Amino acid sequence: MIRFRLSSKKIFCLILIGALLFLPTVSAFNVTISPGRFRFAGNARDIFTQIVTLSNHENTTLIINVTYVANGLVVVPPSFVIGPNATKDLGVVYTMQNQSSGNVTFAWANNNNTLNVYIIFDGTGQPIQPIGNASVNFFPPAPVSGSDLAIYFTGNYKGTNAKGFLYVNNYLYSVDITGGLGIITLDKNAYGTAMLYIFGNSISDADSMKVFDIVKKPDTLVTITTPATATVDDEVAVIVKSGDEPIGNMDVTITSPTNQREIYVTDNLGKISFTANEEGKWKLSATNEGQTATANVVVTYGTLALGIAEENPPKIGDTITIITEPNAVVDVEIDNMPEGQFTASSDGFILFNVVKGGHYTLDGNLNKLRGTYSFTVPGKAEIVLLDSTTHMSVQAIEKDKRYTVQATDSSGQILTGVDSIWISNPTGTKELLPLIEGVAMWSPTLTGSYILSVSETATTASNSRYILIKPSAGDSFWITAIGIAIASFLLIFVILLLYSKRRRIPLNILLGSLLHRQKRVELPIG
């Protein structure tokens, strides 16, 4: 059992206010406070909060001061004015300084219109020193009445618990921060200078009370009326209203597509105008009583007619006719590289020679008009043969040797869009050589003439390469020998044919006599 020893001074204080401890309310001279007391019990750093109501039953206005001397006790507001027959809510926070229990008690002093607040202990322990130095933050940084206000801790104290009060424009809100976060829903009329009281042993002294402004929420919606689109160099009209009423002398911030900002001030009709001298999205914003209205204007050039007269896709070597407005200026790019600038004739025509393949882009302009047109000219595909070992380009091709075949453009870049190459061999048949990323391996097995060609596609024009593979030295000897043998046979046949005609001997008999003649028997000598 814990025993408490009270000094004579404390006993005297208890006797003076003892009667107050048995009353649910405190009243004197038609002023009451309810509840007249509330109890606490706990450890150091525990926080107890209570909202009490002071009622003025007099028919006169009272100016009331709140007095208290106990450590850890705060009453909000500390002074106030209350009208006749009116009520006023007060916030009370007591942060316990040690392990104890007791009551927070209120006493009304009629002689000087003072509300005295006492703490009566009935048990005490050893005080524990405060720890930490947490910073109190709130969001949004510019609060608006009629919305939510978040109060929170960050960093090492983001899980801290605390209690407190928010007082603004005679509105009193209890703040309960749990796990480092507390949210208050503000009334529509809770605007003006606000005082935030947060209590706890982890709260820094500088942040135990914060003073800031809460902006009044507008009664009506603020709007910016402006055209959604405009043409470059147009004068754009803007009207700013609150509900149906125009707002005069209002700052309107206008941001160009290149992030150049300029502020305009509305006239008494809520109007401004500005020149949209850049292409792109213009942003407008205006703030009235904490409410921000925004609008966008998309500014473009007018459309310039631009195209080519040819129905079929152009090819290298063609002369095309660009059609546009008279005197329009057209910039030509090939694969994003400038090719030249041309001015249309009085009838709107430009003659252009297509000298190479690629993606063509035409950009035309005439005053406030802009136009664009694009087309693709197939490039010539080159077929390159490389030695598969040295990767060097070769001109003379040999039978049964392995080569790397590539399809490239005129600059030597591999055309990854080419899928295959047709090969016509010496026998007159065609075979398809598949390419992977524009590359394949090929080994010719016959001597003679080959034709390698790339089929015409959307990105390449047809092109071919002629290859002649000559026989090797060994192959030439046998071919020559066989040719001589055939030629000798034909020569003998022609001689026999002429002899048979001259002697009038049938050729078959002549051949038979030659083939069936028996060798003469030679007699021995002696």
Side-chain angles (χ1 to χ4, degrees):
M1 177 180 294
I2 300 176
R3 297 173 181 262
F4 299 97
R5 180 176 298 174
L6 300 177
S7 66
S8 59
K9 185 177 181 179
K10 290 184 177 180
I11 294 173
F12 177 73
C13 291
L14 286 173
I15 295 172
L16 287 178
I17 62 173
L20 296 175
L21 301 179
F22 300 97
L23 297 175
T25 64
V26 176
S27 64
F29 303 100
N30 291 325
V31 174
T32 60
I33 302 94
S34 179
R37 66 182 180 183
F38 70 89
R39 184 165 178 77
F40 62 86
N43 299 313
R45 304 190 200 97
D46 287 349
I47 300 174
F48 293 87
T49 62
Q50 180 72 41
I51 294 179
V52 299
T53 302
L54 187 144
S55 301
N56 178 17
H57 303 289
E58 299 285 348
N59 292 321
T60 184
T61 298
L62 300 178
I63 301 175
I64 297 176
N65 296 311
V66 181
T67 63
Y68 50 89
V69 294
N71 291 331
L73 179 63
V74 176
V75 180
V76 181
S79 62
F80 54 91
V81 177
I82 185 170
N85 299 307
T87 60
K88 178 69 175 179
D89 286 340
L90 304 178
V92 182
V93 176
Y94 177 54
T95 303
M96 297 184 61
Q97 304 301 296
N98 49 38
Q99 184 186 46
S100 60
S101 62
N103 294 275
V104 177
T105 305
F106 306 90
W108 170 249
N110 186 59
N111 57 344
N112 56 4
N113 289 349
T114 299
L115 177 64
N116 297 306
V117 186
Y118 302 93
I119 294 182
I120 305 301
F121 295 96
D122 53 30
T124 59
Q126 292 300 319
I128 300 178
Q129 294 299 320
I131 59 172
N133 193 27
S135 177
V136 179
N137 304 277
F138 59 87
F139 184 86
V144 179
S145 65
S147 60
D148 289 340
L149 176 65
I151 302 170
Y152 62 97
F153 301 115
T154 57
N156 294 332
Y157 301 95
K158 60 185 178 181
T160 302
N161 298 332
K163 294 182 181 294
F165 289 96
L166 175 69
Y167 180 73
V168 55
N169 196 20
N170 291 324
Y171 285 88
L172 183 65
Y173 299 94
S174 177
V175 177
D176 187 2
I177 301 178
T178 304
L181 174 65
I183 297 178
I184 301 172
T185 300
L186 300 171
D187 289 86
K188 181 179 179 181
N189 294 320
Y191 60 87
T193 301
M195 291 180 289
L196 175 64
Y197 298 84
I198 300 294
F199 307 100
N201 287 308
S202 293
I203 312 304
S204 66
D205 292 339
D207 280 351
S208 61
M209 187 185 78
K210 284 183 173 290
V211 179
F212 56 93
D213 290 329
I214 297 178
V215 179
K216 179 184 177 182
K217 182 178 182 179
D219 295 328
T220 56
L221 184 65
V222 178
T223 58
I224 296 177
T225 303
T226 186
T229 60
T231 303
V232 173
D233 291 333
D234 279 356
E235 196 74 13
V236 180
V238 181
I239 301 177
V240 182
K241 291 184 178 181
S242 178
D244 295 329
E245 296 296 324
I247 306 177
N249 197 33
M250 170 64 63
D251 287 349
V252 180
T253 302
I254 299 178
T255 306
S256 73
T258 55
N259 288 324
Q260 300 297 316
R261 288 184 174 87
E262 192 168 355
I263 296 177
Y264 293 75
V265 180
T266 60
D267 59 18
N268 58 354
L269 297 178
K271 295 182 178 180
I272 63 165
S273 62
F274 70 96
T275 302
N277 55 7
E278 292 182 21
E279 184 184 22
K281 180 187 288 186
W282 290 71
K283 301 176 181 179
L284 293 75
S285 65
T287 301
N288 181 48
E289 296 183 348
Q291 186 184 31
T292 300
T294 61
N296 297 321
V297 181
V298 178
V299 178
T300 60
Y301 287 99
T303 302
L304 174 69
L306 184 62
I308 60 176
E310 286 69 22
E311 295 181 359
N312 296 322
K315 297 181 180 180
I316 295 176
D318 290 351
T319 298
I320 63 174
T321 302
I322 300 174
I323 302 176
T324 184
E325 298 290 339
N327 303 316
V329 177
V330 178
D331 292 299
V332 179
E333 290 185 353
I334 303 177
D335 294 331
N336 297 321
M337 297 297 295
E339 183 68 15
Q341 187 178 82
F342 306 86
T343 301
S345 62
S346 58
D347 53 6
F349 294 147
I350 298 173
L351 296 180
F352 181 78
N353 295 321
V354 179
V355 296
K356 59 183 177 180
H359 185 74
Y360 283 66
T361 301
L362 312 179
D363 288 318
N365 70 86
L366 178 65
N367 300 324
K368 296 183 182 181
L369 304 179
R370 297 291 185 273
T372 184
Y373 184 81
S374 62
F375 57 89
T376 299
V377 175
K380 287 287 187 180
E382 303 291 339
I383 298 175
V384 179
L385 278 78
L386 306 176
D387 187 287
S388 61
T389 302
T390 63
H391 301 289
M392 300 295 292
S393 178
V394 295
Q395 298 298 325
I397 308 300
E398 300 178 15
K399 183 174 72 73
D400 296 326
K401 191 171 181 179
R402 192 174 178 85
Y403 297 93
T404 299
V405 182
Q406 295 179 345
T408 68
D409 58 18
S410 56
S411 64
Q413 296 296 319
I414 295 177
L415 297 173
T416 58
V418 178
D419 296 328
S420 58
I421 291 178
W422 284 103
I423 300 177
S424 178
N425 58 36
T427 64
T429 60
K430 279 188 175 183
E431 57 180 294
L432 192 63
L433 179 65
L435 302 181
I436 300 176
E437 297 294 328
V439 179
M441 302 302 295
W442 176 57
S443 179
T445 58
L446 301 174
T447 57
S449 299
Y450 288 82
I451 297 178
L452 281 65
S453 60
V454 176
S455 298
E456 185 173 350
T457 65
T459 57
T460 59
S462 60
N463 200 1
S464 59
R465 176 171 179 175
Y466 174 79
I467 296 173
L468 175 63
I469 300 179
K470 298 179 179 180
S472 61
D475 291 340
S476 298
F477 170 78
W478 286 109
I479 291 173
T480 302
I482 293 173
I484 292 174
I486 294 174
S488 300
F489 176 77
L490 291 176
L491 179 61
I492 294 172
F493 179 77
V494 170
I495 294 173
L496 291 175
L497 180 61
L498 294 174
Y499 181 81
S500 66
K501 287 183 177 182
R502 186 172 184 181
R503 296 290 183 178
R504 295 182 178 180
I505 300 173
L507 183 60
N508 57 342
I509 295 174
L510 182 60
L511 291 174
S513 62
L514 290 174
L515 294 174
H516 294 89
R517 178 180 297 176
Q518 295 182 354
K519 188 177 180 181
R520 185 176 62 184
V521 178
E522 296 185 5
L523 297 176
I525 300 176

